[in-house]
Amino acid sequence: MLSLLDRYKSQEKIESGFRLLKDPSFFANPIYLHTPHRIESLLMLKTVCIMIYCAVQHEIRTQLQRSGSQIRGHCNKLTNKSTAKYIFKLFRNISVIQTRVNKAIKQQLTKLAEEVNLVLKILGEDCLAMYQV
């Protein structure tokens, strides 16, 4: 009986994925597909996107809980259970400034908030290197 109750409660995780599919921010532009092969391909891509979204969210939440850290979440409140949607929004404010010095191009990031630095540290050395932190 406990197994049945656990399965019922785990439906929320699956339903949140479907909720994400319906979210307008998940769509770039309307897409019109006519062949079953292309429709299946798009669904496969969206499925992979949801899997990555959920994996990033899970990793960040797990590491925030382990470290006892918090970041601002929905309604600007501190939390250790922020959604990946909000975390991705943090990265929208990052700007790249390119300057040319003696034929060499130097890139510099601006607006790297403390919360972004924390998320990058959680995601590992590769992400820190990518953002030159």
Side-chain angles (χ1 to χ4, degrees):
M1 190 65 172
L2 183 61
S3 175
L4 184 62
L5 183 60
D6 288 339
R7 286 183 184 174
Y8 176 75
K9 287 183 178 182
S10 70
Q11 283 180 337
E12 190 274 328
K13 293 176 186 174
I14 295 168
E15 288 174 5
S16 68
F18 287 113
R19 196 173 319 122
L20 178 65
L21 278 173
K22 295 177 184 178
D23 191 334
S25 64
F26 193 66
F27 297 100
N29 288 319
I31 299 173
Y32 303 101
L33 303 173
H34 302 289
T35 63
H37 176 71
R38 290 186 177 204
I39 293 169
E40 290 171 3
S41 298
L42 179 63
L43 288 174
M44 174 64 179
L45 284 172
K46 286 194 173 205
T47 301
V48 170
C49 289
I50 290 173
M51 289 172 64
I52 292 169
Y53 176 94
C54 291
V56 167
Q57 180 172 283
H58 175 75
E59 181 65 20
I60 291 172
R61 285 180 173 185
T62 300
Q63 294 300 331
L64 284 173
Q65 289 173 354
R66 278 189 192 150
S67 67
S69 302
Q70 293 183 328
I71 61 174
R72 299 218 177 265
H74 186 65
C75 297
N76 211 23
K77 295 180 182 178
L78 287 175
T79 182
N80 60 2
K81 293 185 177 184
S82 185
T83 63
K85 180 179 177 180
Y86 179 78
I87 291 166
F88 292 151
K89 282 184 181 179
L90 292 175
F91 284 80
R92 288 184 185 169
N93 296 326
I94 297 173
S95 298
V96 178
I97 298 175
Q98 291 184 343
T99 54
R100 186 178 295 240
V101 180
N102 298 333
K103 297 183 181 180
I105 296 175
K106 181 181 177 185
Q107 293 185 344
Q108 183 178 2
L109 298 174
T110 61
K111 297 182 181 179
L112 216 58
E114 287 181 37
E115 293 168 323
V116 173
N117 283 326
L118 178 60
V119 170
L120 290 173
K121 286 176 188 173
I122 287 171
L123 293 176
E125 295 296 323
D126 291 337
C127 287
L128 285 170
M130 193 181 321
Y131 284 88
Q132 303 166 352
V133 177

